[in-house]
Amino acid sequence: MNAFTPFARMPGAMHPLAWAALLCLTSAAPAWAQADARLPEVTVSSSGLQLGVSEMTQPVSVLEGDALVRQREATLGETLDGEPGITGSHFGAGASRPVIRGMDGPRVRVLSDGSELHDASTVSPDHAVAAEPLLATQVEVLRGPSALVYGGGAVGGVVNVLDGKVPTAVPDKGYEGSAELRAGSAAREKAGAVALTGGAGNLAVHVEAAGRDADDYRVGSGWAEGRRVPGSFNRTGTGSVGLSWVGSRGYLGLAFTRQNAKYGLPGHSHSFEGCHTHGNHLHCGSHDEHDHEHDHEDDGHDHDHGHEAVPVVDLRSERVDIRGELRDPFTGFSALRLRAGVTDYVHDEVEEGTVATTFKNKAHDLRVELQHEPVAGWRGVLGLQTGQRKFSAAGEEAYVQPTLTRQWGVFLLEEYRLGDWHGDWRIETALRHDRQSAEAQDSGVERRHHGTSASLGAVWRFAPGYAAGASITRAHRAPTAEELYARGLHMATSTYERGDASLRAETSRNIDLSLRKTSGDTTFDVSVFHNRIRNYIYGRTLDELDGLQLLQYSQAGATFTGMEGRVRQRITQRLGVTLFGDSVRARLDGGERLPRIAPARVGLRLDANWRDWDGAVEWVQVARQNRVAAFETATPGYGMLNLGLAYNGRTGSGTPWQVYLKARNLTDRLAHAHTSFIKDAAPLAGRNVTVGVRVSF
């Protein structure tokens, strides 16, 4: 019997208190994580106050340095999948967005160094996030709505992707850079990236580029449809050039970035063309054919199009970023920060050589922060944020009429520190007010929403190496234009979507508790959360016909409860073992379960380091997900064996270099992602071995 067989019978989601009692939860760090058990004291840029990881009141993950280099994948969702409480939406190889604590889409805000990343990924899971992980220098994840300084709508969390496209300093030796090449076996992937920063005096310039060419990927053994997922290829190219003026008190710069991508849409079907609604029921075929009337008998429409060519997304995104910081701008204030972005995004969905649908998103946003010196012991940041998004879709799948969304918000974040009362305390409070208008330009219908969000949190360092954190948040999220005005077929997800212009704003009430130990032979980091959402907006399935679902955007109370964490025991100075996992439960007030909620995970990792070598081997067991919504199917559990190995060296001139190998799913298990709309048409990749080399100079 397999030693891990008992895990296959784990329930779809374990009770959070049971997890807490066992301390079985973790940040699922990459397999090659260093053996040092201490949490990295890197600065969290998205904290608003430039805090370290251990000072944060809410759970946070930071990927940087060597760990980020080896954990990066083709998409942001894949890169973060496995971090505590995070999975990917997984739509083939070209599109995967982070899903945090069971929430995705507009509830997870993706930023480019503090500025919102405008693309079409919040509209549909088959749309890619316009960020290139190979060019990221740091990725930060703030969980839960307490990161409301970036918008009350981020009730799931915030992902901030940092990069070097706008230089913030002139290199000491006049230049610095890096180059990386990697290759993967499952999709015959070839990828590479190069970045170079140079300058003199007060001017600095940065250029960078990345490219990827991957074929259809191979799945685990035993899939009835074959060995590779048709249309799962991904070809992406990204380039950027930036220029900054750098002075003794700060910098001001801008960068232009262009990304081109082509990737397939597995599972896309034309079998629903011509389908429409009769009231709250679906009908396919001509009107003189017999309606299905809930019997779902054959309607004369041919549903077998398995041999048609897979549609291809042809994406182009052009973006201009303006970033700046001025230290000590005037009396009483320590920093003034500016972030602004202008995006021109368009992608065509090409079918059999013809453009079937074109999506466009022209957007801009501006964010200004002013950090003040302590006043009566309180130090903080006040700021203003505005943005506009003009979105349109034209063609066969134009299920949303052109919309214009305008947003603005003001926020205040304050902290207070005190000690000598049974330990050191850091107290944090935040307040934000948002307004939004969303106009459907064809019909002229406009809806306005506004709301005030607030949070209160504290970190208590009650003993050396120990810290307890707690936060309470009340946050508002306005409905998106798609939730308000959608009406039509969306064949990528096999749905007919109907919006509701009368939707009200959501109100989220979240409690987050954490406990961590950061030093000694035994370390751990565990957190639990309970999120109660009033007027939760979701796609309610009213009818189903041969795989096509009629989704009506509706509102009801919902509750999300879960936990994530890890415990590590250092066995020797060079050897350690970690037990980790996460779990989330989500349901509506009436007891109905929400769809595509990730099942519980638990894993065991052994890490080691010797001289210039470091590596680890781990087993991750994902439970069967049988807590499913109406019209949703259960997903079997699976286990994966992963391996990581890296060697760090230097050239004769002292230039550091690194060679690494990572292997995922070594046992070639067939696995399905429950968070995916196309989990059956596009299983996860099978055995995949990636080798890479990176040089920094």
Side-chain angles (χ1 to χ4, degrees):
M1 173 182 288
N2 190 308
F4 298 99
T5 299
F7 286 108
R9 296 190 292 269
M10 291 197 325
M14 297 181 67
H15 195 285
L17 294 180
W19 281 113
L22 296 173
L23 286 176
C24 289
L25 306 175
T26 186
S27 60
W32 43 82
Q34 299 288 335
D36 185 3
R38 299 182 63 87
L39 290 176
E41 273 303 305
V42 296
T43 299
V44 182
S45 174
S46 52
S47 64
L49 290 169
Q50 310 299 302
L51 302 173
V53 172
S54 64
E55 298 176 296
M56 300 290 291
T57 60
Q58 69 267 52
V60 60
S61 291
V62 177
L63 288 176
E64 51 93 30
D66 291 343
L68 174 60
V69 168
R70 291 174 299 229
Q71 190 160 336
R72 290 186 296 207
E73 297 289 350
T75 63
L76 188 61
E78 287 181 283
T79 299
L80 295 175
D81 193 350
E83 284 295 301
I86 307 174
T87 53
S89 57
H90 186 71
F91 208 99
S96 182
R97 209 172 192 273
V99 180
I100 303 179
R101 293 179 168 181
M103 298 187 186
D104 59 356
R107 294 184 180 89
V108 174
R109 185 151 297 185
V110 180
L111 310 174
S112 175
D113 198 358
S115 178
E116 187 162 2
L117 191 63
H118 292 286
D119 47 39
S121 64
T122 60
V123 178
S124 175
D126 64 313
H127 299 165
V129 178
E132 175 51 72
L134 280 176
L135 297 174
T137 59
Q138 184 169 307
V139 180
E140 306 166 348
V141 182
L142 279 65
R143 294 165 188 75
S146 54
L148 56 83
V149 292
Y150 291 99
V155 294
V158 167
V159 178
N160 191 29
V161 182
L162 302 181
D163 53 60
K165 65 177 65 173
V166 176
T168 60
V170 178
D172 292 337
K173 60 182 179 180
Y175 70 92
E176 63 183 15
S178 63
E180 180 179 355
L181 291 173
R182 62 196 299 171
S185 63
R188 297 186 283 265
E189 180 187 34
K190 300 172 287 294
V194 61
L196 178 65
T197 303
N202 295 112
L203 292 179
V205 62
H206 178 87
V207 292
E208 62 184 24
R212 176 179 294 101
D213 188 346
D215 295 334
D216 293 349
Y217 67 82
R218 189 172 61 86
V219 302
S221 60
W223 190 40
E225 303 299 321
R227 287 297 282 166
R228 294 188 181 273
V229 176
S232 59
F233 67 89
N234 181 14
R235 297 177 178 90
T236 306
T238 305
S240 180
V241 58
L243 178 68
S244 292
W245 185 92
V246 181
S248 59
R249 294 170 54 201
Y251 71 96
L252 178 64
L254 61 84
F256 173 78
T257 304
R258 178 173 178 133
Q259 182 177 88
N260 292 87
K262 286 188 178 182
Y263 61 90
L265 296 177
H268 197 286
S269 173
H270 289 275
S271 61
F272 305 122
E273 288 181 356
C275 294
H276 52 278
T277 60
H278 287 172
N280 289 334
H281 305 302
L282 288 166
H283 176 80
C284 294
S286 61
H287 284 278
D288 57 357
E289 296 181 65
H290 186 268
D291 288 351
H292 68 284
E293 296 290 349
H294 293 289
D295 57 9
H296 293 179
E297 294 176 356
D298 180 71
D299 57 10
H301 191 83
D302 182 8
H303 292 275
D304 185 10
H305 293 264
H307 299 290
E308 290 187 357
V310 174
V312 175
V313 169
D314 189 350
L315 180 155
R316 176 185 60 80
S317 175
E318 294 182 345
R319 177 183 174 96
V320 175
D321 283 282
I322 301 174
R323 302 172 185 171
E325 179 175 346
L326 178 62
R327 292 181 289 274
D328 301 319
F330 34 84
T331 303
F333 293 90
S334 57
L336 173 65
R337 304 185 188 96
L338 168 68
R339 294 292 185 272
V342 180
T343 301
D344 184 1
Y345 171 98
V346 59
H347 86 244
D348 297 324
E349 295 188 0
V350 183
E351 302 179 15
E352 298 181 341
T354 302
V355 176
T357 311
T358 297
F359 293 87
K360 295 181 179 180
N361 189 23
K362 295 182 182 295
H364 62 260
D365 72 304
L366 170 69
R367 180 182 179 88
V368 179
E369 296 180 358
L370 193 57
Q371 181 172 324
H372 69 80
E373 299 285 2
V375 177
W378 289 89
R379 182 176 73 104
V381 174
L382 62 156
L384 168 70
Q385 185 174 353
T386 67
Q388 178 177 292
R389 170 180 179 262
K390 188 174 183 180
F391 179 81
S392 66
E396 293 180 0
E397 290 193 54
Y399 63 96
V400 181
Q401 58 180 301
T403 58
L404 178 63
T405 304
R406 296 185 177 94
Q407 297 174 321
W408 70 267
V410 291
F411 58 89
L412 177 67
L413 173 68
E414 297 287 332
E415 72 160 9
Y416 188 86
R417 297 175 185 251
L418 62 149
D420 298 328
W421 186 67
H422 301 290
D424 295 326
W425 288 79
R426 177 183 173 271
I427 300 172
E428 179 183 287
T429 182
L431 187 68
R432 180 179 176 114
H433 182 77
D434 287 283
R435 289 185 176 271
Q436 174 184 289
S437 67
E439 178 187 357
Q441 295 188 291
D442 287 349
S443 63
V445 177
E446 183 179 13
R447 293 292 180 264
R448 298 176 181 268
H449 299 85
H450 63 88
T452 301
S453 304
S455 68
L456 176 65
V459 175
W460 177 31
R461 298 184 180 181
F462 55 90
Y466 287 86
S471 65
I472 302 174
T473 308
R474 184 180 187 271
H476 285 265
R477 183 183 81 87
T480 65
E482 294 74 40
E483 292 167 335
L484 292 168
Y485 306 122
R487 182 167 293 271
L489 276 171
H490 189 190
M491 287 181 283
T493 56
S494 298
T495 56
Y496 189 105
E497 299 185 17
R498 295 196 316 200
D500 184 351
S502 65
L503 292 175
R504 293 169 290 175
E506 295 177 348
T507 302
S508 171
R509 295 177 174 85
N510 183 77
I511 299 175
D512 211 308
L513 304 174
S514 63
L515 179 65
R516 52 184 174 256
K517 182 174 183 288
T518 59
S519 62
D521 289 342
T522 303
T523 57
F524 55 81
D525 185 358
V526 62
S527 61
V528 295
F529 64 91
H530 180 79
N531 198 350
R532 179 79 175 85
I533 304 176
R534 187 179 65 188
N535 296 326
Y536 180 81
I537 301 171
Y538 69 104
R540 179 187 175 195
T541 303
L542 301 180
D543 194 17
E544 189 269 344
L545 174 61
D546 295 331
L548 178 67
Q549 294 188 18
L550 172 58
L551 296 187
Q552 173 68 58
Y553 284 107
S554 307
Q555 292 189 296
T559 301
F560 290 74
T561 304
M563 187 173 184
E564 63 249 350
R566 58 91 186 178
V567 56
R568 182 183 185 274
Q569 178 64 46
R570 183 167 58 192
I571 301 173
T572 69
Q573 187 176 358
R574 302 188 179 279
L575 192 66
V577 62
T578 302
L579 185 65
F580 59 87
D582 55 23
S583 175
V584 61
R585 289 185 180 181
R587 64 172 63 199
L588 300 174
D589 284 355
E592 180 183 351
R593 302 187 189 280
L594 290 167
R596 293 175 297 283
I597 299 299
R601 296 180 293 192
V602 65
L604 188 69
R605 178 186 308 114
L606 182 68
D607 63 75
N609 68 89
W610 179 72
R611 294 185 178 177
D612 295 323
W613 293 87
D614 64 83
V617 60
E618 70 177 10
W619 178 271
V620 180
Q621 184 68 43
V622 178
R624 170 183 173 85
Q625 181 57 290
N626 52 15
R627 302 175 183 272
V628 296
F631 301 99
E632 186 184 24
T633 59
T635 307
Y638 60 88
M640 282 194 178
L641 179 64
N642 304 320
L643 174 70
L645 186 65
Y647 179 81
N648 298 280
R650 289 184 177 272
T651 65
S653 60
T655 300
W657 57 271
Q658 181 185 78
V659 176
Y660 60 88
L661 177 148
K662 62 177 181 178
R664 293 189 59 83
N665 197 5
L666 276 172
T667 58
D668 205 31
R669 291 286 295 272
L670 179 63
H672 300 268
H674 191 79
T675 53
S676 174
F677 271 91
I678 57 170
K679 61 182 181 182
D680 296 322
L684 297 175
R687 183 184 300 111
N688 185 34
V689 178
T690 300
V691 293
V693 58
R694 179 179 173 87
V695 179
S696 300
F697 51 88

